[in-house]
Amino acid sequence: LPSHHFPTNINKTTMKLAISAALVGSASAWSTLTMKAETPNSRRNILQKGAAIATAIAAPAAANAYAVPDLLYPFEALEPYIDAPTMKIHHDKHHGTYVANINKATEGKDEVDILELQLNALEAGPAYRNSGGGHYNHAFFWDEMAPPDEAKKTKPSAELEAAIDKAFGSLDEMKAKFEAQAAPGAVFGSGWVWICASSDGLKLVGTPNQDNPLMKGVTDEVMFPILGLDVWEHAYYLKYQNRRPEYVSNWWNVVNWDKVSENYAYVTEKKAGVPVRG
């Protein structure tokens, strides 16, 4: 793998096990030092070991509960539609900042999956809404794309195609409505455009900033995104400058419809949002 794809974050489960092992190991070392004063089966010795194990089990959540997931493709893989410099800055810097901030906001608190954090993000406060939303949205975004030569071989599943036809008339009509919703006049400033599964079929939704339809209070009902596009300027400005519509129309060339179909199958079966990496 290219150097920028080597994981930069330790697996959270591995980290927890390592911390537990270190704590239990420390207890064992202490017992060894005090063997002359305490017999191996003394009450104090047993209590010390028990306390160490209990502490390991009840250890607070790691400060870095969330991580920027590695891309499934090189930074340059989406060329010519999304350029490598944009992908690197977007992934490493912008997404990295959201992750750093949500880790700071949740430090010392019980670890919660980033998907679960979305529902009550508005009530929880700006850090959860902006940085927690930013982490989920970007992790979702990276995985729904693929290099153009791979993306063009994908297509909506029969079930997704039927849902698209029912809601929008056809895939081409859905794309046209999506592009209209993504236009600067529709999503003014920064935001996202989504295709979501709702209680009444597929819906097209635009959200400001890092809000998403999983958040209670953002839309009329909580909905489950299956496709989403970042229309913040940082997602396209190096290549497209103020030509957001060109960016949006070119983006279809890197959409992985196999992944979008998987998302649709998941949310319709589970009645829940799509889990993301990181």
Side-chain angles (χ1 to χ4, degrees):
L1 286 175
S3 60
H4 54 259
H5 291 297
F6 283 107
T8 57
N9 294 280
I10 300 172
N11 179 275
K12 290 181 281 186
T13 302
T14 302
M15 181 179 288
K16 289 177 181 176
L17 291 174
I19 292 170
S20 298
L23 287 167
V24 175
S26 297
S28 297
W30 177 252
S31 294
T32 300
L33 291 173
T34 58
M35 278 182 68
K36 291 182 180 180
E38 303 289 343
T39 62
N41 294 319
S42 71
R43 183 172 180 272
R44 183 182 299 176
N45 188 281
I46 292 169
L47 287 174
Q48 284 175 344
K49 289 183 178 180
I53 294 171
T55 300
I57 294 172
N64 295 319
Y66 307 106
V68 179
D70 295 325
L71 296 177
L72 301 176
Y73 39 80
F75 289 123
E76 67 274 11
L78 305 185
E79 295 269 13
Y81 305 107
I82 302 180
D83 57 296
T86 292
M87 285 297 296
K88 183 167 180 58
I89 294 171
H90 196 177
H91 177 270
D92 291 359
K93 303 301 183 182
H94 290 281
H95 192 174
T97 298
Y98 294 125
V99 167
N101 288 338
I102 191 59
N103 279 334
K104 183 177 180 180
T106 57
E107 186 172 357
K109 300 178 181 178
D110 290 341
E111 186 176 329
V112 178
D113 186 87
I114 193 64
L115 173 60
E116 296 178 35
L117 216 61
Q118 303 307 298
L119 181 62
N120 295 309
L122 272 64
E123 182 181 334
Y128 288 76
R129 181 178 189 173
N130 299 328
S131 298
H135 176 33
Y136 179 86
N137 296 347
H138 284 85
F140 182 97
F141 183 57
W142 308 134
D143 284 3
E144 68 183 0
M145 296 187 291
D149 59 337
E150 296 177 19
K152 68 182 180 182
K153 299 174 184 176
T154 69
K155 63 180 182 179
S157 65
E159 294 78 12
L160 176 56
E161 185 176 20
I164 290 172
D165 290 348
K166 182 178 180 181
F168 304 105
S170 69
L171 180 59
D172 286 341
E173 289 181 76
M174 187 209 79
K175 288 181 178 180
K177 292 174 182 176
F178 189 99
E179 290 176 26
Q181 180 64 59
V187 177
F188 183 75
S190 302
W192 291 74
V193 181
W194 309 91
I195 298 292
C196 303
S198 74
S199 59
D200 189 32
L202 295 183
K203 295 285 181 67
L204 172 62
V205 179
T207 58
N209 303 314
Q210 294 298 343
D211 289 358
N212 64 56
L214 291 165
M215 298 175 178
K216 186 168 57 179
V218 168
T219 53
D220 291 341
E221 64 172 307
V222 171
M223 293 183 277
F224 308 123
I226 63 168
L227 177 72
L229 175 62
D230 187 348
V231 293
W232 282 62
E233 286 189 344
H234 65 233
Y236 63 86
Y237 204 83
L238 289 181
K239 181 176 179 65
Y240 295 98
Q241 291 83 50
N242 63 330
R243 306 189 308 276
R244 186 198 286 182
E246 185 180 347
Y247 156 69
V248 176
S249 63
N250 278 342
W251 178 68
W252 298 115
N253 292 289
V254 296
V255 170
N256 180 352
W257 288 104
D258 288 346
K259 173 58 176 167
V260 179
S261 298
E262 289 177 13
N263 292 346
Y264 177 69
Y266 183 91
V267 302
T268 53
E269 177 186 352
K270 304 292 186 180
K271 302 296 187 294
V274 174
V276 296
R277 299 180 300 121

